[in-house]
Amino acid sequence: MQDATDTPDILQEPRLWSDGRWTARVIKNEDDDGWAVAMTLQGESEPALVGPWTMGRDKKNPKPLDVSAFNTLVKTASEVIRRHEQQLHAQLNKNVTITTVQGQRLRVALAIVPDEEGATATLSAHDDLGEELARVPVPPSFKLTPASAAAWVDAGFERPR
């Protein structure tokens, strides 16, 4: 027998749907007379997506949620989160490719690890085969550019100041 706490809370009300992971809530749009829908991921305090919602036939109340609309909203909200994660990853992980004076192509990467106590960052260099040649800690404020990467390589991979 399955414990009641193992099953997700499934709700299917006209203005509130949940599959235990996502919750769609139809809310009054504060900016006008219309309605909006907020999609919130389980455990999050803020919605991942808030968008306009269709009026019902009476032109006063919102159209009730249904399985098709809920599934579309889940897909859209999941995509918003995925794009946000990709953007954050791109902000924290940068790389440039340079060619040394000896003609060797190197990929220099900056990886920033955010932390409430204080972010850390690492600068690394890799050859064409992906083998790591060097790795040093740098301040999270380090600006990785082709010029700063070349200067680091030219300095013998010494920790930038």
Side-chain angles (χ1 to χ4, degrees), residues 61-140:
N61 294 304
K63 177 181 162 188
L65 286 162
D66 59 33
V67 69
S68 177
F70 181 76
N71 289 340
T72 300
L73 289 164
V74 166
K75 182 178 177 183
T76 304
S78 296
E79 181 64 20
V80 167
I81 287 178
R82 189 178 71 76
R83 282 196 308 263
H84 175 75
E85 289 169 349
Q86 286 175 332
Q87 180 184 11
L88 181 60
H89 183 270
Q91 287 175 337
L92 298 175
N93 298 277
K94 299 185 183 304
N95 68 75
V96 296
T97 301
I98 62 166
T99 303
T100 66
V101 291
Q102 297 84 13
Q104 183 182 22
R105 288 179 51 82
L106 300 179
R107 184 178 63 84
V108 178
L110 174 67
I112 301 171
V113 178
D115 188 312
E116 289 179 14
E117 301 291 319
T120 60
T122 305
L123 192 62
S124 61
H126 304 264
D127 65 14
D128 276 341
L129 300 174
E131 185 175 331
E132 185 173 277
L133 304 174
R135 175 179 292 266
V136 296
V138 293

Side-chain angles (χ1 to χ4, degrees), residues 25-61:
R25 182 180 312 273
V26 177
I27 54 177
K28 186 78 174 129
N29 187 342
E30 297 171 10
D31 296 335
D32 62 25
D33 292 337
W35 295 88
V37 62
M39 289 296 294
T40 306
L41 188 59
Q42 178 70 31
E44 296 294 325
S45 58
E46 295 293 320
L49 174 73
V50 177
W53 189 244
T54 308
M55 292 286 238
R57 288 187 179 149
D58 66 3
K59 303 295 183 206
K60 290 182 182 177
N61 294 304

